[in-house]
Amino acid sequence: MSYQLTIEPLGATIEVEDGQTILDAALRQGIYIPHACGHGLCGTCKVEVLEGEADLGDASPFALMDFEREERKALACCATLQADTVIEADVDEEPDAQIIPVQDFVGEVVRIETLTPTIKSIRLRLDRPIDFQAGQYVQLSIPDITQTRAFSIANAPDDVAKTGEIELNVRQVPGGLGTAWLHEKLAVGDRLTLSGPYGRFFVRKSAGRPMIFLAGGSGLSSPRSMILDLMAQGVDLPITLVYGQRNAAELYYDDEFRALSARYPNFTYVPALSEGTIDGGVGQGFVHEVAKAHFDNDFSGHQAYLCGPPAMIDACISTLMQGRLFERDIYHEKFISAADVQQVRSPLFRKV
């Protein structure tokens, strides 16, 4: 059994299977609805039901308030249809966005590499080709864990096309069941299911502006894919990467980015350590502090792409805006866990 779903203001009508969420149906048919956590926790995918009926599912009462339920609001990641329905969603047109329907894949683990004491690189050979924009992510299913886990693709699209493999950088989160399993139990030869691509974190090339990438921790995955993709396409605009870690032992792919900086005159690599020291021009301090010093507190005329822990994102947004860069030119991917929902998040920023 299926239902017809019309999505305004696009005027697009799609088919939704019984029990399938609005978000899943839309993404699998190439229609992007803004979303973040995917589990009813954050409220990013809120839509209004104009006609028809929807079961609200397991939407958190904090993400979907009682008065919003009375106003026929729903979270697309949880809501399922009970009749033919019309919704209104906050859909923005993006000239650089590729329309890529989400699909399911099976990946065989072909390599596991320890990058730092807390981060592993996992290479998965997929059962068929995946099309994606550099910066997007996949949802990985982990045995005996109900909810999928989101991981950005760390290699560039041309590398994926040549090898048939995607690389995921997985940081072991203290107390995290999913990352603990991937670090401690996953082995070469294992097969995992995943879906993708997801997200609107990609380079807005049509803007033609110099780019700043600010990354922290395993948040380097997306910027690495995006920068490698830009280099492969011969983009000659100035590109700067400021990448921060706590200490030198956690600073991974450092040699690769130093080599890229030496090879491409338009690429500048600025590593940053919040603790400890290392030779070779590493900035001292947090990512936003090192970026502020490097650009002399003037980010005007650039576009910025941010990926890392929530606290880093908030600090970078504040620094960029104080340095004359406005919200319209700042982009970041929002990975929100149940723990993140309990934290205060920046009211200044809503884009991905």
Side-chain angles (χ1 to χ4, degrees):
M1 183 177 182
S2 63
Y3 301 102
Q4 297 294 306
L5 174 68
T6 300
I7 303 172
E8 299 293 356
L10 300 177
T13 299
I14 63 174
E15 197 150 310
V16 182
E17 297 297 324
D18 188 30
Q20 184 180 27
T21 66
I22 291 173
L23 180 62
D24 185 64
L27 294 177
R28 289 180 182 277
Q29 295 179 67
I31 297 175
Y32 180 81
I33 294 177
H35 60 283
C37 74
H39 303 300
L41 299 171
C42 69
T44 304
C45 64
K46 198 170 295 176
V47 299
E48 181 178 357
V49 179
L50 302 178
E51 300 175 19
E53 294 294 332
D55 183 332
L56 301 183
D58 295 327
S60 162
F62 300 101
L64 190 65
M65 302 289 192
D66 288 341
F67 76 90
E68 293 177 310
R69 294 168 190 255
E70 294 173 1
E71 293 174 350
R72 291 174 61 80
K73 299 293 199 305
L75 300 187
C77 69
C78 296
T80 56
L81 300 189
Q82 296 181 311
D84 291 345
T85 300
V86 179
I87 65 169
E88 184 170 17
D90 184 16
V91 181
D92 294 327
E93 292 293 332
E94 287 276 8
D96 294 287
Q98 296 178 19
I99 300 174
I100 308 173
V102 168
Q103 299 183 62
D104 296 317
F105 301 88
V106 176
E108 179 183 351
V109 180
V110 294
R111 190 173 75 192
I112 300 174
E113 180 184 358
T114 298
L115 298 177
T116 79
T118 62
I119 300 173
K120 288 185 182 292
S121 165
I122 299 171
R123 298 270 305 201
L124 297 166
R125 180 174 295 124
L126 303 184
D127 58 338
R128 55 201 173 89
I130 182 173
D131 188 16
F132 74 102
Q133 285 187 268
Q136 291 188 298
Y137 65 94
V138 297
Q139 292 280 3
L140 189 68
S141 296
I142 301 173
D144 301 322
I145 294 178
T146 303
Q147 293 183 345
T148 57
R149 298 295 190 268
F151 296 103
S152 296
I153 300 174
N155 48 339
D158 65 330
D159 181 62
V160 174
K162 291 174 185 175
T163 65
E165 300 172 7
I166 61 170
E167 178 183 350
L168 308 179
N169 296 160
V170 179
R171 180 178 71 89
Q172 185 161 12
V173 178
L177 298 177
T179 58
W181 191 93
L182 292 171
H183 269 249
E184 298 167 9
K185 296 184 178 180
L186 186 68
V188 171
D190 287 349
R191 294 166 69 84
L192 298 172
T193 60
L194 58 114
S195 61
Y198 294 94
R200 296 286 258 196
F201 191 51
F202 54 84
V203 176
R204 275 66 177 178
K205 298 173 188 171
S206 63
R209 296 181 183 177
M211 289 159 270
I212 304 170
F213 293 88
L214 304 179
S218 59
L220 182 63
S221 301
S222 293
R224 178 178 184 249
S225 177
M226 297 158 89
I227 290 168
L228 292 175
D229 188 46
L230 290 168
M231 298 304 176
Q233 294 183 37
V235 172
D236 58 4
L237 290 166
I239 300 168
T240 303
L241 168 65
V242 182
Y243 171 51
Q245 281 281 18
R246 180 173 296 176
N247 53 58
E250 294 285 345
L251 200 65
Y252 71 103
Y253 287 131
D254 181 66
D255 290 342
E256 176 182 76
F257 284 115
R258 290 182 186 276
L260 285 174
S261 183
R263 180 179 176 185
Y264 296 98
N266 63 314
F267 176 62
T268 302
Y269 170 51
V270 185
L273 298 180
S274 59
E275 299 176 3
T277 59
I278 189 174
D279 294 334
V282 175
Q284 296 299 304
F286 294 104
V287 171
H288 66 286
E289 296 170 332
V290 173
K292 180 177 180 178
H294 180 80
F295 285 94
D296 196 24
N297 197 32
D298 185 3
F299 304 100
S300 58
H302 291 77
Q303 282 193 327
Y305 298 87
L306 286 54
C307 200
M312 186 214 91
I313 296 293
D314 288 344
C316 287
I317 290 169
S318 178
T319 297
L320 290 168
M321 295 184 75
Q322 290 172 18
R324 301 172 60 199
L325 194 65
F326 299 102
E327 179 184 350
R328 65 177 180 269
D329 294 316
I330 303 173
Y331 302 90
H332 81 98
E333 186 64 273
K334 294 186 286 188
F335 290 105
I336 300 178
S337 68
D340 292 330
V341 175
Q342 308 304 320
Q343 300 177 12
V344 176
R345 303 185 64 79
S346 170
L348 301 175
F349 193 85
R350 59 181 293 273
K351 285 188 195 174
V352 294

